[in-house]
Amino acid sequence: MDVKPLVVENLTIHYYTLEGIVKAVRNVSFSVEKGESVCLVGESGSGKSTIGLAIVGALPGNARIVSGRILVNGVDVLRLSQKELEKIRGREVSIIFQDPAASFNPLFTIGQILSDVIKYKLNVKDKNELRKLALSALRMVGLPDPERIYNSYPHELSGGMLQRAAIAVALSTKPSVLVADEPTTMLDVTLQAQILDLLQDLRRKLGLALVFITHNLGVAAAICDKILVIYAGSMVEYGPVDEVLTSPLHPYTKRLLECVPRSSARVGRLKYIPGSLPDLRKLPPGCVFAPRCSEVMEVCKSVEPRIVEVKPGHMVACHKYSR
Amino acid sequence: MPISREYIIKRLILLVVVVFGVLIITFVITRVIPARPELLWAGAHPTPEQLEKARKELHLDEPIYVQLYYYLADFFRGNWGVSWRTRQPVLQDILSALPATLELVIVAFIIAIALGVPLGAIAALKRNTWIDHVIRIVSVLGASVPVFWLALILQLVLSSWLGILPGAKRVDELVVYETGFKPITGFILFDSLIEGNFEVFVNALHHIILPAIVLSFYPFGLSARMTRAVMTEVLSELYTRSALAWGLPRRLVIYKYALKNTLAPVIASLGLSFGYTIIGAFMVELIFVWPGIGLYAAMALLSYDYPAIMGCVIVVAIIYTVINMIVDVVHAIIDPRVKL
């Protein structure tokens, strides 16, 4: 049997802050096949980026992975030493971020960063070989005039070009898993489509396992095979993208879908979900979504719902579907 | 080079404006002080007639703006006047004293940067550990201990009590005579090195250690604090996170990438601290009998030697402006976003 490139099991992550322990991610599980893409969808602050950072082992210093496993090509990266982890990071898993302009050190050219990544990850010593690999990585992401980009500083390039360059850096080492943390949020719509196309294209060509993090359901619909809806650090629904988007089960997913503004239906006010995310330091007992849920029942306020498989491959954490 | 011609022209104009402004301000201040410099010019026990003659020679009987006119007219002809104390042309006095001061300040800055930047970087990496606290205490002390106190105490302990280091002068005259040393540029360390005169070099090095250490305390403290602050910020930047997430080794991210981001602001702050260091040099030179511009200026101040005071202030102003120009250029070389 083929080993899955990425398996996340019961991942729980806490942030230790002066104001208390923030339970940012709780019991999140999902897996990604070769060439498959899974979307993590949720509001700002739902913990989706934290999961992405945990996968590449780049969590900030005050975060702790309390429990769970992250298997990259069958190896539990959480059990590795710092040194072994450094080997995998950027080599087997890599990441691109939301703000491409802030992802690049302003004092170094794209070429310097790109060739350093190739040099240290692929152990290429020869200067000409290094340059050749770097230029071919830039060519792979469809950047015109790679020579010029190679010698450019970040401030000399546009956001779209920088995001392509970031993809080139992340994929220059041929990783099997790529985490894309809201890679199109800062770009305008036409560029957004180009970058999504590029990612789709590269995913097929390289057989990448893609973890795509977004708050935009439209983007998720365009790029994903499976979708994982996260609310306040808990997974509420997980399933094939068509099913989740056309026949959502969880009340939160339903509300979220209603909130997507449609250009064709300009009637009435924009919809939103009343209330806001709960305080992750003082979680309410029971279902985290209960205070905002329109279909709330008595049991929701005291008992935390378990995630159950309602249809094959379609799971939901809601008391409506228990038993 | 990312430096435009406009920048150089702008800077030269600024230099002229600064020198002109400093000239006028110091001129007015020195003339307004209720002192009688003619007493110095006229020599010991002058008669009233001699005093009157001295006042005429120094134009002290004229209104202040006429005096300013005379001064400016001479100044821009390269005649900075004759020191009323040494009776030598001021420009000549200053040019012969300047290398001693520059040598001292350069050595002090080398010590300050060589210790301050690495310690600041270590403090940033070991944030909130005892190492960080020790470095903080040392650097805050360095930046806040008064230089004259430090100079006197170190001179007393290291030179007077322990006798490890000489407590005065640049070099032993005896060594200079015996080896037939002839300075070329006036920078003794440099001159003795290129002449291959190691005896003088070692002797001068021995002499410069103590005053240079005293003078380096302030820029050392400043550079350590600045390096720690900037480095801490750089390490929390998104580009540092992405460099690590892309798998670059931590060592490389810190010492190649983050350090470069840290250097530009640190160098800028050191450039600004140069003025303060020159003031420090005045005290240090006075205490260590260091024959530089600080000692010269201090003596000039104590004897109301107007032309010499003016000359010193102007030279310091020019050096300050030039240093900050160099800082700008260095910044532009480090940071490609800066266009001069």
Side-chain angles (χ1 to χ4, degrees):
Chain A
M1 206 187 96
D2 246 13
V3 183
K4 286 184 182 178
L6 180 68
V7 178
V8 174
E9 279 177 6
N10 300 322
L11 188 64
T12 300
I13 303 170
H14 291 177
Y15 284 106
Y16 293 82
T17 69
L18 287 177
E19 289 81 30
I21 297 172
V22 178
K23 294 169 183 143
V25 175
R26 291 184 312 283
N27 268 325
V28 169
S29 305
F30 63 96
S31 64
V32 193
E33 307 268 358
K34 206 165 179 292
E36 188 186 41
S37 73
V38 171
C39 269
L40 309 187
V41 178
E43 292 169 70
S44 313
S46 60
K48 53 194 193 307
S49 291
T50 301
I51 299 172
L53 289 176
I55 293 169
V56 292
L59 282 172
N62 64 337
R64 288 282 173 282
I65 296 176
V66 181
S67 62
R69 298 203 298 168
I70 298 175
L71 305 173
V72 173
N73 295 323
V75 179
D76 186 355
V77 293
L78 302 182
R79 288 164 163 267
L80 296 179
S81 69
Q82 199 58 38
K83 227 179 173 164
E84 292 168 308
L85 186 64
E86 223 167 60
K87 246 182 236 159
I88 285 182
R89 185 189 298 155
R91 178 72 188 84
E92 290 180 44
V93 284
S94 201
I95 188 165
I96 54 172
F97 293 101
Q98 180 171 358
D99 185 353
S103 303
F104 284 98
N105 191 319
L107 305 190
F108 294 84
T109 61
I110 304 298
Q112 282 173 305
I113 295 167
L114 180 52
S115 49
D116 265 348
V117 169
I118 297 173
K119 183 173 160 191
Y120 286 94
K121 290 286 111 170
L122 300 182
N123 280 324
V124 178
K125 297 265 155 50
D126 182 62
K127 280 239 167 77
N128 290 326
E129 176 76 8
L130 210 55
R131 197 182 158 82
K132 230 177 69 195
L133 284 171
L135 289 175
S136 82
L138 291 172
R139 216 168 285 124
M140 175 181 73
V141 296
L143 279 167
D145 200 354
E147 290 273 349
R148 185 177 70 84
I149 307 284
Y150 184 92
N151 292 315
S152 292
Y153 287 96
H155 71 279
E156 296 166 335
L157 302 176
S158 69
M161 286 168 130
L162 282 174
Q163 196 58 288
R164 280 177 193 267
I167 296 172
V169 174
L171 296 185
S172 63
T173 58
K174 308 264 183 300
S176 43
V177 180
L178 178 69
V179 178
D181 187 357
E182 306 230 20
T184 60
T185 307
M186 307 272 286
L187 306 176
D188 57 39
V189 182
T190 47
L191 281 172
Q192 207 167 9
Q194 285 181 24
I195 295 291
L196 291 180
D197 267 358
L198 175 68
L199 282 175
Q200 286 293 53
D201 194 36
L202 290 170
R203 172 163 71 98
R204 281 191 209 108
K205 245 190 256 169
L206 306 173
L208 269 180
L210 182 64
V211 178
F212 196 95
I213 298 167
T214 182
H215 64 267
N216 186 331
L217 286 166
V219 169
I223 198 163
C224 294
D225 302 318
K226 282 194 281 187
I227 193 164
L228 171 65
V229 183
I230 302 174
Y231 180 78
S234 310
M235 50 194 299
V236 295
E237 191 161 353
Y238 177 41
V241 70
D242 299 334
E243 270 203 46
V244 174
L245 293 184
T246 53
S247 49
L249 297 173
H250 199 283
Y252 176 65
T253 319
K254 290 180 195 166
R255 295 292 95 77
L256 206 57
L257 280 164
E258 284 170 8
C259 292
V260 178
R262 280 164 226 278
S263 51
S264 56
R266 287 197 51 173
V267 274
R269 298 166 63 100
L270 289 175
K271 293 213 170 163
Y272 61 95
I273 307 174
S276 56
L277 281 173
D279 187 341
L280 292 172
R281 285 162 296 177
K282 297 189 287 272
L283 285 172
C287 174
V288 281
F289 188 58
R292 298 170 81 182
C293 187
S294 54
E295 302 167 50
V296 66
M297 300 177 290
E298 225 17 75
V299 61
C300 303
K301 289 173 186 163
S302 53
V303 182
E304 200 175 343
R306 290 197 311 140
I307 192 140
V308 288
E309 193 159 10
V310 177
K311 287 178 232 170
H314 192 166
M315 295 189 271
V316 65
C318 179
H319 287 299
K320 276 173 70 186
Y321 305 95
S322 300
R323 267 165 297 144
Chain B
M1 281 291 260
I3 297 157
S4 65
R5 184 178 302 170
E6 290 86 65
Y7 171 79
I8 294 168
I9 293 170
K10 246 195 283 180
R11 271 311 173 121
L12 287 178
I13 293 172
L14 183 69
L15 184 66
V16 172
V17 171
V18 166
V19 169
F20 205 77
V22 167
L23 255 169
I24 291 174
I25 291 170
T26 36
F27 188 86
V28 171
I29 290 175
T30 49
R31 301 300 141 135
V32 167
I33 295 172
R36 299 183 64 197
E38 63 267 27
L39 286 175
L40 185 70
W41 186 249
H45 310 297
T47 63
E49 292 79 48
Q50 282 171 321
L51 272 181
E52 198 47 44
K53 190 165 160 273
R55 284 178 65 80
K56 274 224 158 62
E57 280 175 10
L58 301 177
H59 302 298
L60 290 170
D61 54 343
E62 311 259 11
I64 192 168
Y65 53 88
V66 178
Q67 293 183 37
L68 179 63
Y69 166 77
Y70 281 123
Y71 187 83
L72 288 181
D74 280 348
F75 180 84
F76 286 109
R77 272 186 236 123
N79 176 7
W80 293 20
V82 172
S83 162
W84 299 348
R85 186 176 60 91
T86 66
R87 309 235 167 195
Q88 296 281 322
V90 167
L91 195 55
Q92 190 187 312
D93 273 356
I94 288 177
L95 288 181
S96 69
L98 201 53
T101 298
L102 290 182
E103 190 167 70
L104 180 62
V105 172
I106 289 170
V107 173
F109 266 86
I110 290 174
I111 295 173
I113 293 169
L115 289 178
V117 171
L119 284 183
I122 290 169
L125 293 172
K126 308 263 175 202
R127 216 164 35 256
N128 298 328
T129 62
W130 65 270
I131 299 174
D132 181 24
H133 298 317
V134 169
I135 293 172
R136 173 181 301 125
I137 291 167
V138 172
S139 54
V140 168
L141 278 180
S144 50
V145 167
V147 71
F148 64 88
W149 181 85
L150 195 69
L152 289 171
I153 294 298
L154 288 186
Q155 194 180 40
L156 181 69
V157 174
L158 292 176
S159 182
S160 214
W161 290 355
L162 300 176
I164 307 170
L165 294 165
K169 294 190 180 162
R170 286 180 86 185
V171 65
D172 285 328
E173 285 88 348
L174 198 62
V175 181
V176 172
Y177 289 131
E178 277 174 356
T179 57
F181 173 71
K182 288 261 178 302
I184 310 162
T185 61
F187 292 86
I188 292 183
L189 288 175
F190 179 74
D191 290 345
S192 58
L193 209 57
I194 56 170
E195 285 175 28
N197 192 333
F198 290 107
E199 211 171 327
V200 170
F201 179 77
V202 170
N203 190 275
L205 197 61
H206 201 204
H207 276 80
I208 206 169
I209 291 173
L210 195 49
I213 286 177
V214 171
L215 200 55
S216 73
F217 262 62
Y218 178 73
F220 156 75
L222 187 76
S223 58
R225 296 300 296 153
M226 273 298 284
T227 304
R228 182 192 182 275
V230 180
M231 188 87 157
T232 303
E233 201 184 304
V234 169
L235 289 178
S236 69
E237 288 281 355
L238 290 179
Y239 54 72
T240 301
R241 186 187 70 179
S242 57
L244 290 172
W246 286 334
L248 290 177
R250 212 180 143 68
R251 250 178 323 102
L252 189 83
V253 173
I254 291 167
Y255 295 107
K256 176 173 172 183
Y257 287 79
L259 199 59
K260 192 171 176 188
N261 296 95
T262 306
L263 278 181
V266 171
I267 288 171
S269 74
L270 282 176
L272 292 173
S273 82
F274 186 79
Y276 193 91
T277 308
I278 288 282
I279 297 172
F282 278 38
M283 315 238 200
V284 170
E285 288 184 7
L286 197 58
I287 291 166
F288 290 97
V289 202
W290 192 264
I293 192 170
L295 186 62
Y296 181 73
M299 300 312 287
L301 276 168
L302 292 176
S303 51
Y304 302 108
D305 184 353
Y306 290 170
I309 295 170
M310 299 276 300
C312 291
V313 172
I314 288 154
V315 165
V316 171
I318 292 172
I319 294 174
Y320 190 77
T321 316
V322 170
I323 293 271
N324 279 290
M325 199 165 138
I326 294 172
V327 166
D328 274 2
V329 172
V330 170
H331 198 170
I333 291 170
I334 294 178
D335 192 336
R337 291 168 300 179
V338 177
K339 294 268 185 295
L340 296 179

PDB file of all heavy atoms in Angstrom, chain B residues 137-154:
ATOM      1  N   ILE B 137      23.117  44.638  31.560  1.00  0.00           N
ATOM      2  CA  ILE B 137      23.695  45.456  32.629  1.00  0.00           C
ATOM      3  C   ILE B 137      24.981  46.111  32.137  1.00  0.00           C
ATOM      4  O   ILE B 137      25.181  47.319  32.283  1.00  0.00           O
ATOM      5  CB  ILE B 137      23.962  44.588  33.878  1.00  0.00           C
ATOM      6  CG1 ILE B 137      22.627  44.172  34.499  1.00  0.00           C
ATOM      7  CG2 ILE B 137      24.796  45.347  34.895  1.00  0.00           C
ATOM      8  CD1 ILE B 137      22.732  43.070  35.528  1.00  0.00           C
ATOM      9  N   VAL B 138      25.848  45.316  31.506  1.00  0.00           N
ATOM     10  CA  VAL B 138      27.128  45.848  31.035  1.00  0.00           C
ATOM     11  C   VAL B 138      26.898  46.969  30.020  1.00  0.00           C
ATOM     12  O   VAL B 138      27.526  48.030  30.093  1.00  0.00           O
ATOM     13  CB  VAL B 138      27.977  44.721  30.406  1.00  0.00           C
ATOM     14  CG1 VAL B 138      29.213  45.297  29.738  1.00  0.00           C
ATOM     15  CG2 VAL B 138      28.370  43.714  31.478  1.00  0.00           C
ATOM     16  N   SER B 139      25.962  46.751  29.076  1.00  0.00           N
ATOM     17  CA  SER B 139      25.810  47.755  28.019  1.00  0.00           C
ATOM     18  C   SER B 139      25.114  49.013  28.525  1.00  0.00           C
ATOM     19  O   SER B 139      25.436  50.115  28.099  1.00  0.00           O
ATOM     20  CB  SER B 139      25.088  47.158  26.808  1.00  0.00           C
ATOM     21  OG  SER B 139      23.874  46.594  27.198  1.00  0.00           O
ATOM     22  N   VAL B 140      24.169  48.852  29.451  1.00  0.00           N
ATOM     23  CA  VAL B 140      23.528  50.048  30.009  1.00  0.00           C
ATOM     24  C   VAL B 140      24.547  50.846  30.808  1.00  0.00           C
ATOM     25  O   VAL B 140      24.615  52.073  30.707  1.00  0.00           O
ATOM     26  CB  VAL B 140      22.308  49.670  30.877  1.00  0.00           C
ATOM     27  CG1 VAL B 140      21.837  50.864  31.685  1.00  0.00           C
ATOM     28  CG2 VAL B 140      21.185  49.157  30.002  1.00  0.00           C
ATOM     29  N   LEU B 141      25.403  50.144  31.579  1.00  0.00           N
ATOM     30  CA  LEU B 141      26.469  50.842  32.303  1.00  0.00           C
ATOM     31  C   LEU B 141      27.373  51.569  31.318  1.00  0.00           C
ATOM     32  O   LEU B 141      27.718  52.726  31.500  1.00  0.00           O
ATOM     33  CB  LEU B 141      27.292  49.843  33.116  1.00  0.00           C
ATOM     34  CG  LEU B 141      26.722  49.441  34.470  1.00  0.00           C
ATOM     35  CD1 LEU B 141      27.647  48.447  35.155  1.00  0.00           C
ATOM     36  CD2 LEU B 141      26.529  50.661  35.356  1.00  0.00           C
ATOM     37  N   GLY B 142      27.760  50.858  30.251  1.00  0.00           N
ATOM     38  CA  GLY B 142      28.658  51.443  29.255  1.00  0.00           C
ATOM     39  C   GLY B 142      28.099  52.726  28.689  1.00  0.00           C
ATOM     40  O   GLY B 142      28.819  53.696  28.497  1.00  0.00           O
ATOM     41  N   ALA B 143      26.801  52.739  28.438  1.00  0.00           N
ATOM     42  CA  ALA B 143      26.208  53.907  27.800  1.00  0.00           C
ATOM     43  C   ALA B 143      25.936  55.021  28.794  1.00  0.00           C
ATOM     44  O   ALA B 143      25.708  56.154  28.404  1.00  0.00           O
ATOM     45  CB  ALA B 143      24.923  53.508  27.076  1.00  0.00           C
ATOM     46  N   SER B 144      25.945  54.723  30.101  1.00  0.00           N
ATOM     47  CA  SER B 144      25.510  55.762  31.037  1.00  0.00           C
ATOM     48  C   SER B 144      26.577  56.231  32.017  1.00  0.00           C
ATOM     49  O   SER B 144      26.409  57.270  32.632  1.00  0.00           O
ATOM     50  CB  SER B 144      24.272  55.278  31.805  1.00  0.00           C
ATOM     51  OG  SER B 144      24.491  54.002  32.335  1.00  0.00           O
ATOM     52  N   VAL B 145      27.683  55.487  32.166  1.00  0.00           N
ATOM     53  CA  VAL B 145      28.726  55.954  33.084  1.00  0.00           C
ATOM     54  C   VAL B 145      29.394  57.195  32.494  1.00  0.00           C
ATOM     55  O   VAL B 145      29.750  57.206  31.324  1.00  0.00           O
ATOM     56  CB  VAL B 145      29.778  54.838  33.293  1.00  0.00           C
ATOM     57  CG1 VAL B 145      31.008  55.385  33.977  1.00  0.00           C
ATOM     58  CG2 VAL B 145      29.188  53.711  34.107  1.00  0.00           C
ATOM     59  N   PRO B 146      29.564  58.256  33.293  1.00  0.00           N
ATOM     60  CA  PRO B 146      30.194  59.469  32.752  1.00  0.00           C
ATOM     61  C   PRO B 146      31.640  59.186  32.372  1.00  0.00           C
ATOM     62  O   PRO B 146      32.367  58.523  33.119  1.00  0.00           O
ATOM     63  CB  PRO B 146      30.136  60.469  33.900  1.00  0.00           C
ATOM     64  CG  PRO B 146      29.269  59.871  34.932  1.00  0.00           C
ATOM     65  CD  PRO B 146      29.152  58.406  34.681  1.00  0.00           C
ATOM     66  N   VAL B 147      32.028  59.698  31.223  1.00  0.00           N
ATOM     67  CA  VAL B 147      33.328  59.334  30.669  1.00  0.00           C
ATOM     68  C   VAL B 147      34.483  59.879  31.509  1.00  0.00           C
ATOM     69  O   VAL B 147      35.503  59.225  31.685  1.00  0.00           O
ATOM     70  CB  VAL B 147      33.408  59.763  29.190  1.00  0.00           C
ATOM     71  CG1 VAL B 147      33.497  61.251  29.051  1.00  0.00           C
ATOM     72  CG2 VAL B 147      34.558  59.084  28.492  1.00  0.00           C
ATOM     73  N   PHE B 148      34.301  61.077  32.110  1.00  0.00           N
ATOM     74  CA  PHE B 148      35.415  61.650  32.886  1.00  0.00           C
ATOM     75  C   PHE B 148      35.678  60.820  34.146  1.00  0.00           C
ATOM     76  O   PHE B 148      36.808  60.586  34.538  1.00  0.00           O
ATOM     77  CB  PHE B 148      35.134  63.117  33.254  1.00  0.00           C
ATOM     78  CG  PHE B 148      33.951  63.311  34.156  1.00  0.00           C
ATOM     79  CD1 PHE B 148      34.081  63.256  35.530  1.00  0.00           C
ATOM     80  CD2 PHE B 148      32.687  63.540  33.616  1.00  0.00           C
ATOM     81  CE1 PHE B 148      32.985  63.424  36.351  1.00  0.00           C
ATOM     82  CE2 PHE B 148      31.597  63.708  34.443  1.00  0.00           C
ATOM     83  CZ  PHE B 148      31.742  63.650  35.813  1.00  0.00           C
ATOM     84  N   TRP B 149      34.595  60.329  34.750  1.00  0.00           N
ATOM     85  CA  TRP B 149      34.734  59.494  35.951  1.00  0.00           C
ATOM     86  C   TRP B 149      35.455  58.195  35.621  1.00  0.00           C
ATOM     87  O   TRP B 149      36.399  57.792  36.277  1.00  0.00           O
ATOM     88  CB  TRP B 149      33.329  59.209  36.501  1.00  0.00           C
ATOM     89  CG  TRP B 149      33.324  58.382  37.748  1.00  0.00           C
ATOM     90  CD1 TRP B 149      33.475  58.812  39.035  1.00  0.00           C
ATOM     91  CD2 TRP B 149      33.172  56.955  37.826  1.00  0.00           C
ATOM     92  NE1 TRP B 149      33.429  57.747  39.904  1.00  0.00           N
ATOM     93  CE2 TRP B 149      33.252  56.599  39.189  1.00  0.00           C
ATOM     94  CE3 TRP B 149      33.008  55.950  36.880  1.00  0.00           C
ATOM     95  CZ2 TRP B 149      33.145  55.279  39.622  1.00  0.00           C
ATOM     96  CZ3 TRP B 149      32.903  54.640  37.312  1.00  0.00           C
ATOM     97  CH2 TRP B 149      32.972  54.312  38.673  1.00  0.00           C
ATOM     98  N   LEU B 150      34.984  57.572  34.543  1.00  0.00           N
ATOM     99  CA  LEU B 150      35.577  56.310  34.102  1.00  0.00           C
ATOM    100  C   LEU B 150      37.062  56.501  33.806  1.00  0.00           C
ATOM    101  O   LEU B 150      37.903  55.690  34.192  1.00  0.00           O
ATOM    102  CB  LEU B 150      34.837  55.846  32.845  1.00  0.00           C
ATOM    103  CG  LEU B 150      35.048  54.413  32.436  1.00  0.00           C
ATOM    104  CD1 LEU B 150      34.399  53.497  33.439  1.00  0.00           C
ATOM    105  CD2 LEU B 150      34.449  54.188  31.060  1.00  0.00           C
ATOM    106  N   ALA B 151      37.369  57.615  33.115  1.00  0.00           N
ATOM    107  CA  ALA B 151      38.751  57.887  32.741  1.00  0.00           C
ATOM    108  C   ALA B 151      39.617  57.996  33.985  1.00  0.00           C
ATOM    109  O   ALA B 151      40.686  57.381  34.069  1.00  0.00           O
ATOM    110  CB  ALA B 151      38.828  59.170  31.920  1.00  0.00           C
ATOM    111  N   LEU B 152      39.130  58.745  34.969  1.00  0.00           N
ATOM    112  CA  LEU B 152      39.936  58.948  36.181  1.00  0.00           C
ATOM    113  C   LEU B 152      40.107  57.646  36.952  1.00  0.00           C
ATOM    114  O   LEU B 152      41.199  57.328  37.422  1.00  0.00           O
ATOM    115  CB  LEU B 152      39.261  60.003  37.072  1.00  0.00           C
ATOM    116  CG  LEU B 152      39.329  61.430  36.526  1.00  0.00           C
ATOM    117  CD1 LEU B 152      38.457  62.366  37.343  1.00  0.00           C
ATOM    118  CD2 LEU B 152      40.778  61.921  36.522  1.00  0.00           C
ATOM    119  N   ILE B 153      39.019  56.886  37.077  1.00  0.00           N
ATOM    120  CA  ILE B 153      39.083  55.642  37.859  1.00  0.00           C
ATOM    121  C   ILE B 153      40.008  54.627  37.187  1.00  0.00           C
ATOM    122  O   ILE B 153      40.878  54.030  37.835  1.00  0.00           O
ATOM    123  CB  ILE B 153      37.664  55.044  38.022  1.00  0.00           C
ATOM    124  CG1 ILE B 153      36.798  55.951  38.877  1.00  0.00           C
ATOM    125  CG2 ILE B 153      37.737  53.648  38.626  1.00  0.00           C
ATOM    126  CD1 ILE B 153      37.290  56.140  40.281  1.00  0.00           C
ATOM    127  N   LEU B 154      39.841  54.442  35.865  1.00  0.00           N
ATOM    128  CA  LEU B 154      40.680  53.462  35.183  1.00  0.00           C
ATOM    129  C   LEU B 154      42.149  53.893  35.206  1.00  0.00           C
ATOM    130  O   LEU B 154      43.052  53.072  35.338  1.00  0.00           O
ATOM    131  CB  LEU B 154      40.203  53.247  33.743  1.00  0.00           C
ATOM    132  CG  LEU B 154      38.899  52.471  33.595  1.00  0.00           C
ATOM    133  CD1 LEU B 154      38.597  52.199  32.131  1.00  0.00           C
ATOM    134  CD2 LEU B 154      38.946  51.150  34.358  1.00  0.00           C
TER     135      LEU B 154
END
